[in-house]
Amino acid sequence: MLTDDATIATWNNEGLPSDRMSTENATILTHCERWPLMIDPQQQGIKWIKNKYGPDLKVTHLGQKGFLNTIEAALAFGDVILIENIKETVDAVLGPLLGRNTSKKGKYIRIGDKECEFNKNFRLILHTKLANPHYKPELQAQTTLLNFTVTEDGLEGQLLAEVVSVERPDLERLKLVLTKQQNDFKIELRQLEDDLLLRLSAAEGSFLDDTDLVERLETTKATAAEIEHKVTEARENERKTNETRECYRPVAARASLLYFVISDLRKINPIYQFSLKAFNTLFHRAIEQAEKVEDTQERICALVESITHATFLYASQALFEKDKLTFLSQMAFQILLRRNEIHPLELDFLLRFTVEHTYSSPVDFLTAQSWSAVKAVALMEEFRGLDRDVEGSAKQWRKWVESECPEKEKLPQEWKKKSLIQKLIILRAVRPDRMTYALRNFVEEKLGTKYVERTRLDLGKAFEESSRSTPVFFILSPGVDALKDLEVLGKRLGFTTDSGKFHNVSLGQGQELVAEMALEKAATGGHWVILQNVHLVAKWLGTLEKLLEKFSQRSHRDYRVFLSAETAPSQQEPVIPQGLLENSIKITNEPPTGMLANLHAALYNFDQDTLEMCSKDQEFKSILFSLCYFHASVAGRLRFGPQGWSRSYPFSLGDLTICTNILYNYLEANPNVPWEDLRYLFGEVMYGGHITDAWDRKLCRVYLEEFMNPSLIEEELMLAPGFAAPPYSDYSGYHQYIEDMLPPESPALYGLHPNAEIELLTVTSNTLFRTLLEMQPRNAVSQEELGQSTEDKVKTILDDILERLPEEFNMAEIMQKNPNRSPYVLVCFQECERMNILIREIRVSLQHLDLGLKGELTLSPDVETQLSALRYDRIPDTWNKLAYPSTYGLAQWFNDLLLRCRELDTWTQDLTLPAVVWLSGFFNPQSFLTAIMQTMARKNEWPLDRMCLTIDVTKKTKEDYGHPPREGAYLHGLHLEGARWDIQSGALADARLKELTSMMPVIFAKAIPEDRQEIKHAYECPVYKTKARGPTYVWTFRLRSKDRIAKWVLAGVALLLEA
């Protein structure tokens, strides 16, 4: 209605993508009354606009020097002006212009403090690169929002043209000629029609007397017939070429799919940004490198494989190790969904894996958690009877579940016939710790071995792919120096600091000018520049982006830029501009993992000369090796998450080097080895300088006491089970000793229990699946297949929560029940008040969301975030802020909330202390433990500041108690991680394998004066609210131990209120 084929043809000739969405956008843009605002992350719209208006288009940026003058001039002369790359807010000075607030009968408009002439031909076009911007309603009302984001079908069409132009240039040329011919025909016909109509309308009297008009009619008729004939001919040719072109569609379809997979990686980390321009270059390179074969079908298979592998390598070099498997799995799942090799419903279940109810396990080889998961799986049609089979054939299932690598074994009974994805579902239920290995095997079987082989970083190759306009971007990790590798490459190619061809600028306050000068010098002289830590100068990065763009055009061909930065601390705060990331080749550089690699890396920091520099030769060498093992332990322990260290610390090789210098100075200055001084300097100052948590500091201290004491030199000291400190040797001898004597990688090398590895793998696999679920395209599973749309699903969850949500506690009524205001009663009041605030927030926010889903309220960003949280079984942020720390998913968390309400409800009936108190059910467990001390202090008239809690672990369970003790309280709901409690001996014991946490019996807690507490043979065990540890610390309980206390400190043993 608003446009015709001729106009569309013209636009396509100007570079507008030919898909329907782009055509509709262009039509709206040219006809809309309000100013158009283009959302154009792939820069396709802006390319068309610049071609369409050519040199007449005025281009400016907000905040650019003199941008207001440019706008004023355009207003006066009636030009078309394009404001590029606007962010989510627009300068208030443009308010009157956006709202067209003209004055003096529409002739003037106010910009800032000036009244500017307003020419009626003036056109303003706004443009943003942001992929998902949130604009204020008033800006949306003043502009027409146009989404130029490329669609999968649109990109497929564009890439099909690209692949055919390379593979069959004759076809693509013919296609272009035909399209252009068709477009020209349409334009010519239109012009003839318009001309004819004009003449007809202007004709006076009988038009048959107007010979000129009749002749024109005849010509038009003949031309139209000729065009009609040509059009028919062209259509036939087009049909034939299209048939041949269609053969190449699988290549374009795969490439389009892969682009959207790598484009979605930004959801994992905002630093993973890839531009369509870079992907196009990669696509062409993959076509060139594909195996040349004559047969068209074989060639197409080779092209599909080449583009898939090239994309995999390109994206992998930019990803951290922990994210590579996520990317690989997502790529495999999307390819298989497209091939219809996996069922969308099964994939959805594997990723969500919602287990709502907890059942106790009837078989001893499955925990309650695993059995509950089996029951959840058995509800699906394909898995009916799984729970019965596991229970009935327990022996066969035990063998499979307890095998070393169940992912490689066949499933028992008839289940062995199940597809690979169905096997993954069963494995995730019973052995979530093996899922990372199972996914690797899955990808290997479906895509090929080369996708799971470890790829080595080749900086030389990345350099070849870089250019003046494409910098190399190093994504930094703690403990890695990107400069070393670059200097080696520079030396090889003749770019060194000494020759003046290598400029190294470490950014920070005041260094921006230095960097600008270095870039200018390098661009003219053809040098290399590395700008380190660009994340420290966030405000200057916009300028840097423009400088790189400026120097990329008119500069020396040898000029190259290298950048390095750390990742953003959180998803919400990406520091580095999108343009910088998209246009660069990203490379991640990570420190080695595992004790073997870490220990070698620590030793590589030194050489034979270092070993020989001290006069106390033997002492220096022994302590240095022990120090290297200490460094490898503290650095390697980080990967075990909170059980390794309560918080994450950036230990680096720099710490080790400085400690070595201190060691040398102290050994030279003292006749004997000052063990105490060395341990203090290493553990409290050098490494301890990073540590902010008291329990982590204690762990560091214990490590040093174990590794650095006189027995290191006087007798044999075991650094780990099966690994003694090496005998006196030289540099290469130490490396050889590590190779020969170090036991295989296991948590025991760090003093941890083997369960720590299982916990780490389980957490990794759960995180991986949660990320994969959030990365699934919205249209991945059609609503018919899932039975209901996302909104319907959220509505079901929302209604269910609102229906089960209890009423708020009536505080006035509860307070009247008991005039006694003892510490316990006050704790009860505080808990009820906190619960009321949380219940109120849940109810109000869900009611808002419900109105939003009905369309009665606008969906604000907060409500959208909440909708997304409910969809992915996450606790919404607004609830989390008012709730207690928890690691549960939404379904489990809500069931837990109902239990807490029930517990409080029981307590508020008569406000007497429950027989056994569920410590985990409190918002603030510290307040209850303090109340025990206050009550006993008042009763016995003891000074509160000289008291402490003492605990006694009973042999009974909660059901064995009918009433509370005379003083103190019975506590339950605590879990022990890293060890177990042996009821018979009444002391700590090694945890059972695969039992990650064990339930503690009822604990009797009471208060005593500090001087009466038992300190001997007791491990000071920290109590945390959740497995996340760190800031969720509650108290310290002393637990009896028959082993050395150091064992439990190194094993990271702690009590948790939520397992």
Side-chain angles (χ1 to χ4, degrees), residues 20 146 171 223 258 281 358 360 413 456 478 663 777 838 937 948 1002:
R20 185 187 168 95
L146 295 172
L171 269 188
T223 314
L258 291 171
T281 315
T358 308
S360 58
Q413 301 163 305
R456 273 195 62 76
L663 173 66
L838 178 58
C948 67
V1002 169

Side-chain angles (χ1 to χ4, degrees), residues 288-436:
E288 282 167 32
Q289 289 167 358
E291 190 187 342
K292 306 275 188 288
V293 274
E294 286 303 310
D295 182 59
T296 312
Q297 216 45 48
E298 282 180 26
R299 172 69 178 162
I300 287 166
C301 291
L303 285 171
V304 168
E305 186 47 45
S306 173
I307 185 72
T308 309
H309 195 237
T311 308
F312 161 69
L313 291 175
Y314 173 71
S316 290
Q317 69 179 9
L319 303 179
F320 287 120
E321 205 57 49
K322 65 185 173 68
D323 297 325
K324 283 181 184 170
L325 185 58
T326 312
F327 161 60
L328 200 49
S329 308
Q330 172 69 343
M331 187 169 89
F333 287 145
Q334 292 307 316
I335 289 171
L336 296 172
L337 276 173
R338 182 62 65 90
R339 287 195 210 150
N340 291 326
E341 284 186 30
I342 54 178
H343 197 289
L345 266 176
E346 290 178 352
L347 176 62
D348 189 65
F349 185 83
L350 173 69
L351 302 184
R352 280 182 198 280
F353 224 83
T354 312
V355 180
E356 285 192 28
H357 305 287
T358 308
Y359 301 93
S360 58
S361 173
V363 288
D364 59 352
F365 59 88
L366 289 181
T367 60
Q369 205 174 355
S370 295
W371 179 251
S372 307
V374 168
K375 295 283 274 185
V377 171
L379 295 173
M380 283 178 77
E381 189 57 49
E382 287 289 324
F383 299 92
R384 288 223 185 285
L386 176 66
D387 47 348
R388 284 198 306 277
D389 278 3
V390 172
E391 206 175 335
S393 311
K395 199 173 173 188
Q396 284 172 279
W397 281 93
R398 176 197 290 274
K399 188 183 171 200
W400 181 73
V401 170
E402 291 184 348
S403 61
E404 191 71 24
C405 305
E407 70 279 4
K408 291 181 180 170
E409 307 289 334
K410 282 186 176 173
L411 281 161
Q413 301 163 305
E414 290 299 301
W415 299 95
K416 62 171 75 72
K417 294 175 186 166
K418 291 288 174 198
S419 69
L420 277 179
I421 189 114
Q422 290 166 344
K423 186 177 175 181
L424 285 178
I425 290 174
I426 296 174
L427 188 68
R428 185 169 182 197
V430 294
R431 286 293 301 273
D433 58 300
R434 300 302 301 170
M435 286 312 289
T436 46

Side-chain angles (χ1 to χ4, degrees), residues 788-1048:
Q788 50 183 174
S789 68
T790 304
E791 281 74 16
D792 292 344
K793 227 175 191 170
V794 170
K795 179 85 171 87
T796 311
I797 296 167
L798 178 151
D799 290 342
D800 177 54
I801 293 177
L802 280 176
E803 190 184 322
R804 292 160 61 202
L805 193 66
E807 288 302 315
E808 290 176 33
F809 291 98
N810 185 335
M811 293 308 295
E813 195 182 298
I814 293 169
M815 285 177 171
Q816 283 169 358
K817 285 183 182 175
N818 193 339
N820 173 16
R821 294 285 178 267
S822 71
Y824 294 140
V825 172
L826 290 174
V827 168
C828 181
F829 289 168
Q830 286 169 358
E831 290 293 316
C832 290
E833 279 166 0
R834 283 191 167 195
M835 187 57 84
N836 280 352
I837 293 167
L838 178 58
I839 290 173
R840 201 174 306 136
E841 171 58 35
I842 294 175
R843 187 168 278 117
V844 170
S845 62
L846 287 179
Q847 284 165 348
H848 280 175
L849 177 58
D850 196 19
L851 290 170
L853 291 174
K854 287 176 184 165
E856 293 171 25
L857 258 185
T858 46
L859 286 176
S860 66
D862 288 347
V863 177
E864 270 184 31
T865 312
Q866 191 182 350
L867 187 136
S868 163
L870 294 186
R871 182 181 173 208
Y872 295 124
D873 192 43
R874 282 201 319 260
I875 308 158
D877 289 344
T878 50
W879 303 2
N880 240 337
K881 281 175 191 163
L882 300 172
Y884 34 85
S886 176
T887 54
Y888 291 155
L890 178 62
Q892 209 178 347
W893 178 85
F894 188 66
N895 286 335
D896 180 59
L897 177 88
L898 296 179
L899 286 176
R900 288 166 184 255
C901 288
R902 208 168 301 147
E903 193 80 8
L904 279 175
D905 204 36
T906 314
W907 195 358
T908 52
Q909 293 307 316
D910 53 2
L911 293 177
T912 54
L913 188 66
V916 183
V917 177
W918 183 34
L919 191 64
S920 318
F922 288 109
F923 280 81
N924 183 6
Q926 291 96 318
S927 65
F928 182 76
L929 297 172
T930 309
I932 296 176
M933 287 168 52
Q934 285 174 328
T935 310
M936 290 188 69
R938 288 178 189 178
K939 187 178 174 183
N940 299 311
E941 295 184 352
W942 290 334
L944 186 62
D945 58 345
R946 299 242 180 98
M947 291 178 67
C948 67
L949 263 190
T950 177
I951 63 136
D952 184 18
V953 184
T954 67
K955 294 187 176 184
K956 297 179 179 179
T957 60
K958 170 187 161 205
E959 286 72 29
D960 300 334
Y961 292 95
H963 50 83
R966 279 204 311 279
E967 47 185 27
Y970 293 129
L971 312 173
H972 82 103
L974 287 99
H975 303 262
L976 195 57
E977 185 178 41
R980 70 183 170 86
W981 184 260
D982 185 0
I983 295 179
Q984 258 42 57
S985 63
L988 285 170
D990 285 326
R992 293 188 184 94
L993 198 62
K994 295 187 185 148
E995 190 179 80
L996 304 183
T997 58
S998 58
M999 194 72 182
M1000 287 291 282
V1002 169
I1003 291 174
F1004 172 46
K1006 63 175 185 176
I1008 54 166
E1010 272 176 353
D1011 50 10
R1012 284 199 217 157
Q1013 70 173 334
E1014 186 76 33
I1015 295 175
K1016 280 185 179 176
H1017 308 300
Y1019 165 59
E1020 289 186 349
C1021 183
V1023 181
Y1024 295 103
K1025 290 180 185 173
T1026 70
K1027 280 183 178 179
R1029 301 198 181 191
T1032 68
Y1033 170 75
V1034 178
W1035 210 272
T1036 305
F1037 286 177
R1038 289 175 184 275
L1039 298 178
R1040 275 195 59 224
S1041 165
K1042 292 181 178 176
D1043 290 291
R1044 291 170 58 246
I1045 303 303
K1047 174 183 176 175
W1048 309 119

